[in-house]
Amino acid sequence: SEFGEDTFSFFLFSDEVRLAKPSFEVFSLCHKEINRIHQSDVIKEKIVHIGDNYDNDYIASLNYGFKSYLLGN
């Protein structure tokens, strides 16, 4: 089955928020939104970022402190 809104708390697309990865700003915005949704301070290590670009998604999110999964080509 495909992942959908019932699988994740929310989706954030960098082009929609006008922030470019690998800038930490996009990951910071994501972290703030997760904290708002869960009404608590969720530690970065509990957050998973999923992306398809090795440098801009996988490495950048790991460097920010998130867990990260890379979708393969």
Side-chain angles (χ1 to χ4, degrees):
S1 72
E2 291 188 29
F3 293 114
E5 292 180 18
D6 57 331
T7 305
F8 298 101
S9 298
F10 76 103
F11 297 87
L12 187 142
F13 300 97
S14 58
D15 60 330
E16 292 178 3
V17 295
R18 299 185 189 271
L19 295 170
K21 297 174 290 183
S23 169
F24 277 5
E25 289 178 287
V26 71
F27 299 109
S28 177
L29 178 63
C30 178
H31 191 203
K32 288 176 186 175
E33 181 65 10
I34 289 170
N35 287 337
R36 186 192 67 75
I37 290 169
H38 291 280
Q39 298 179 346
S40 66
D41 188 18
V42 178
I43 61 171
K44 292 178 183 179
E45 294 82 10
K46 296 278 186 180
I47 298 170
V48 176
H49 174 83
I50 301 170
D52 62 354
N53 182 282
Y54 181 77
D55 292 319
N56 293 343
D57 290 307
Y58 184 73
I59 296 299
S61 60
L62 286 176
N63 286 339
Y64 187 74
F66 291 170
K67 289 185 179 179
S68 189
Y69 290 94
L70 181 65
L71 300 176
N73 291 337

